[in-house]
Amino acid sequence: MFRYLLRRLLGAFFVVVGITTFSFFMIRIAPGGPFDSEKMPPPEIMRNLEKKYHLDEPLMLQYARYAKDVLVHFDFGPSFRYPERSVNEFIDLGFPVTLRLAIYSMIIAVLIGISSGLIAALYQNSRWDYSAMAFAMLGVSIPDFVLGPLFQLIFGLKLHWLPIAGWDGANFYVLPSLTLGSMYAASIARLTRGGMLEITRQDFIRTARAKGLSERVVILRHMLKGGLLPVVTYLGPAAAFMMGGSMVVEKIFDVPGLGRHFVNSALNRDYTMTLGLTIFFSAIIVLFNLIVDIAYTFLDPRVKYE
Amino acid sequence: MSSIAAVSDIQLEKKSSLWLDAWCRLKKNKMAMVSSFLVVAFFLLAIAVPILSPFPIDEVHYDSIGMAPNTLHWFGTDILGRDMLARTFYGLRISLAVGLTATLVSFAIGVVYGAVAGFYGGKVDALMMRFVDVVYGLPYMFFVIIVMSVFGNNILILFMAIGAVSWLTMARIVRGQVLSISQKEFVEAARSCGVRNRTIIFRHLIPNALGPIIVYTTLMVPRTILVEAFLSFLGLGIQPPQASLGSLASDGASAMDLYPWLILFPGVVLAILLFALNYFGDGLRDALDPRMKK
């Protein structure tokens, strides 16, 4: 077990190193430097600027410096756009907001998704099943950037129940979390239904019924554990997509999260910021995938950690 | 003689029966059929919009700014007085083009990669699939955005970037199929005849794995359309004066309180398109592989 954990952690570390390397060189082959603008500063100032940011050094040396700063000191350096602020400051401010949004959305997605998937599976081919699955299909098909404005229009502008933008307290969290969570709720519902239907046909469920367990115990004790395994596997990639999805939701609802900083940095060509945030987000997701995988080995007795 | 003819007839019938059966099953699935008609209709409309629409896509009319839907402009007009019906279907055209091209790119990469891994097996397979596992968990959207911000907003780069990040599942499916097919006798027979590896992969393995590949390709189209719309919504995809459904929705979202139809129509068209493509893909899966039905 310990060896397995160690090996996985080491693997995750190398993935992060790989991402750092790839993103660094990707950004560096970009045409144009970070200080290009209509008003070119005099060459002396340019030289000083380049010296300050070590841009006059050979590329490999710059890479080594950057990789060391990031991987050892967790320091992503200054933003090129806002030189007086560091990328770390943006992360400190923005990440808690994005994390909170992601957690709430995940809770909504899991609650709605699992319960509607369960209903669909337990009453297979009934009216409940069909309507739950049609709703799930609808949820997968309506993109968040259509759903979000729709929610704003209905619950904010027409009904005046909830604020349409901002991030100032509990009632500000409702619409963004609902928007971000709905697509994942739909996928989880489909996965839950599929997983549960597969489990129902297994021998050990028949055994459980045959030995006279009540239906409730059969479902809660025996079916859920195996039936929800596909959902657990899905949570890793879902978290990755959710970080991406938060960019859109943060834009729609004017949420001051990290996703919006990332999009702005890409639009402004703030290269250090784009680079830093990519590495940061990827590292978070690699870590999350690791946790999901380890949880999986505990949940499914058939999986052995090699 | 006649009995030989009859036998070969039966064999012919048997040969095509997989696809015939699938077609019969698909025809019975009403939702899938409705969806496929919708998709075809959207395709035709997207192609024919410059001919059918009395209003050019980008003609600015200052006397008809922000008009609500009416008999002349069925979808209303935007803040520059452009007809939204024409723009929506023009956007649909770009969205479909992105969806198909990016799917094609990821199809090509995924099929070849998966087939090679599944065919060679052993260390090669382990290494190649380990790479897929690792990349699978990464937030690929960030890499597409990096590529878009580095190489400028070129529509071709957008196609390539989306295609290049969405081939992973395809590779996994193809590999699984190839692994099981390459154990079959006819592959062994081909091998014992001294057929080259490349020929075995392209002649025997890929055609026999075609069912799941077709199904997954169909399901990939709505996904790539969604990714493009997502990027365009953030301002990192299609650039004006071109427009896709995503960038139209983005424009509409910023003026939603005054002109709700600007987001409503592109959004609804996009949702219907995705809904129909998803349902059609699901129906196709049920038809081609009844065992996969859940």
Side-chain angles (χ1 to χ4, degrees):
Chain A
M1 183 66 205
F2 180 72
R3 275 191 59 195
Y4 171 76
L5 274 181
L6 199 68
R7 224 188 58 202
R8 288 302 312 267
L9 267 174
L10 212 64
F13 178 73
F14 279 115
V15 171
V16 175
V17 173
I19 292 163
T20 308
T21 312
F22 177 80
S23 323
F24 180 85
F25 287 106
M26 199 73 191
I27 292 274
R28 275 307 144 90
I29 55 174
F35 303 116
D36 289 357
S37 61
E38 282 96 69
K39 280 191 292 178
M40 282 292 276
E44 304 86 57
I45 295 180
M46 276 299 278
R47 258 201 300 281
N48 280 336
L49 271 173
E50 285 184 345
K51 198 167 176 90
K52 184 176 176 226
Y53 290 106
H54 305 290
L55 290 172
D56 49 350
E57 293 170 2
L59 193 61
M60 284 317 285
L61 201 67
Q62 288 183 41
Y63 166 69
R65 186 191 300 280
Y66 187 76
K68 197 181 122 210
D69 280 351
V70 167
L71 298 170
V72 180
H73 306 294
F74 302 110
D75 178 9
F76 293 100
S79 151
F80 269 153
R81 200 79 190 177
Y82 311 98
E84 70 280 8
R85 296 179 70 181
S86 71
V87 178
N88 287 56
E89 275 175 57
F90 280 94
I91 293 177
D92 289 345
L93 284 175
F95 186 60
V97 176
T98 300
L99 190 67
R100 187 191 282 255
L101 174 62
I103 290 175
Y104 289 158
S105 313
M106 198 58 107
I107 292 174
I108 288 176
V110 167
L111 283 183
I112 298 180
I114 291 187
S115 47
S116 51
L118 275 183
I119 291 171
L122 296 178
Y123 302 97
Q124 198 194 353
N125 293 332
S126 72
R127 212 181 316 160
W128 295 107
D129 182 15
Y130 290 135
S131 45
M133 282 307 107
F135 256 107
M137 194 56 113
L138 213 62
V140 177
S141 303
I142 299 182
D144 15 23
F145 55 82
V146 175
L147 198 63
L150 210 66
F151 280 161
Q152 286 177 322
L153 200 62
I154 297 171
F155 298 108
L157 292 174
K158 294 278 180 264
L159 296 173
H160 298 289
W161 286 355
L162 292 161
I164 58 166
W167 195 251
D168 257 351
N171 52 348
F172 285 86
Y173 304 156
V174 180
L175 289 184
S177 315
L178 213 58
T179 307
L180 188 54
S182 65
M183 194 178 267
Y184 306 96
S187 299
I188 290 176
R190 284 159 65 103
L191 286 172
T192 307
R193 179 175 181 271
M196 290 298 282
L197 286 182
E198 211 174 304
I199 287 287
T200 332
R201 300 196 196 101
Q202 303 278 324
D203 290 337
F204 70 91
I205 296 298
R206 195 180 313 137
T207 312
R209 287 221 175 92
K211 70 182 183 189
L213 292 182
S214 73
E215 193 60 28
R216 223 177 56 130
V217 176
V218 173
I219 294 171
L220 290 180
R221 216 26 104 55
H222 296 267
M223 281 163 75
L224 270 186
K225 205 175 163 191
L228 292 185
L229 278 179
V231 177
V232 176
T233 335
Y234 173 71
L235 289 183
F241 286 125
M242 212 169 243
M243 292 290 171
S246 72
M247 293 183 225
V248 162
V249 173
E250 284 172 16
K251 180 185 168 177
I252 295 172
F253 293 98
D254 204 23
V255 176
L258 211 49
R260 220 180 47 177
H261 290 314
F262 180 72
V263 174
N264 287 341
S265 76
L267 288 169
N268 293 334
R269 294 173 175 254
D270 185 347
Y271 289 142
T272 44
M273 183 82 115
T274 314
L275 184 58
L277 293 187
T278 304
I279 297 169
F280 177 75
F281 269 122
S282 308
I284 295 281
I285 284 157
V286 167
L287 198 69
F288 192 79
N289 278 326
L290 191 67
I291 295 170
V292 168
D293 274 4
I294 291 170
Y296 202 74
T297 56
F298 283 110
L299 282 176
D300 190 349
R302 287 168 301 183
V303 176
K304 288 269 174 291
Y305 31 89
E306 318 122 65
Chain B
M1 280 304 275
S2 63
S3 69
I4 293 173
V7 167
S8 68
D9 266 2
I10 290 167
Q11 272 170 349
L12 263 182
E13 227 174 73
K14 252 196 178 158
K15 209 174 169 186
S16 63
S17 75
L18 170 74
W19 299 100
L20 261 181
D21 277 1
W23 171 238
C24 288
R25 271 194 293 266
L26 189 64
K27 263 199 301 196
K28 269 191 221 139
N29 187 340
K30 270 192 207 120
M31 271 312 284
M33 285 316 277
V34 172
S35 303
S36 65
F37 280 125
L38 271 175
V39 172
V40 172
F42 271 173
F43 254 99
L44 294 178
L45 280 173
I47 293 168
V49 65
I51 307 161
L52 291 182
S53 167
F55 304 99
I57 291 133
D58 44 10
E59 206 174 80
V60 177
H61 288 283
Y62 290 111
D63 50 349
S64 58
I65 285 172
M67 281 165 72
N70 53 44
T71 47
L72 188 63
H73 300 281
W74 291 358
F75 284 12
T77 60
D78 69 1
I79 46 172
L80 292 174
R82 293 174 291 192
D83 180 57
M84 274 309 282
L85 181 72
R87 282 179 73 70
T88 301
F89 280 96
Y90 179 73
L92 176 69
R93 178 193 254 201
I94 298 226
S95 290
L96 284 172
V98 175
L100 291 179
T101 327
T103 301
L104 218 63
V105 171
S106 68
F107 172 86
I109 304 176
V111 168
V112 172
Y113 193 94
V116 168
F119 181 75
Y120 288 103
K123 274 222 176 92
V124 179
D125 177 40
L127 201 69
M128 286 174 86
M129 285 340 259
R130 189 77 200 108
F131 176 74
V132 169
D133 287 345
V134 168
V135 184
Y136 199 77
L138 295 180
Y140 66 86
M141 201 62 90
F142 292 90
F143 294 99
V144 177
I145 289 178
I146 285 196
V147 172
M148 293 309 287
S149 98
V150 166
F151 291 107
N153 300 300
N154 181 329
I155 193 167
L156 268 177
I157 302 232
L158 182 65
F159 290 167
M160 297 296 153
I162 296 177
V165 294
S166 41
W167 55 271
L168 299 166
T169 312
M170 179 62 94
R172 279 185 173 173
I173 291 175
V174 174
R175 171 196 171 254
Q177 287 288 315
V178 166
L179 264 185
S180 73
I181 294 169
S182 51
Q183 304 299 319
K184 299 262 162 70
E185 287 87 352
F186 69 91
V187 177
E188 210 170 307
R191 242 184 233 142
S192 65
C193 293
V195 180
R196 277 181 312 163
N197 282 345
R198 216 164 51 127
T199 319
I200 294 185
I201 291 180
F202 284 101
R203 216 27 104 53
H204 296 288
L205 297 183
I206 290 178
N208 278 293
L210 217 52
I213 294 179
I214 290 177
V215 170
Y216 189 70
T217 309
T218 325
L219 288 172
M220 200 140 67
V221 176
R223 249 168 257 175
T224 48
I225 289 179
L226 198 57
V227 172
E228 181 278 321
F230 182 98
L231 288 170
S232 294
F233 184 83
L234 293 175
L236 292 157
I238 303 284
Q239 298 297 313
Q242 281 177 318
S244 77
L245 291 175
S247 67
L248 286 174
S250 170
D251 295 346
S254 56
M256 188 186 56
D257 45 345
L258 293 176
Y259 316 109
W261 56 89
L262 291 187
I263 186 165
L264 193 66
F265 288 107
V268 167
V269 167
L270 181 61
I272 294 176
L273 176 71
L274 296 175
F275 191 76
L277 281 168
N278 278 326
Y279 247 108
F280 179 68
D282 268 16
L284 206 60
R285 180 184 60 202
D286 295 347
L288 277 174
D289 193 352
R291 280 167 309 167
M292 271 167 79
K293 184 168 186 171
K294 284 179 183 164

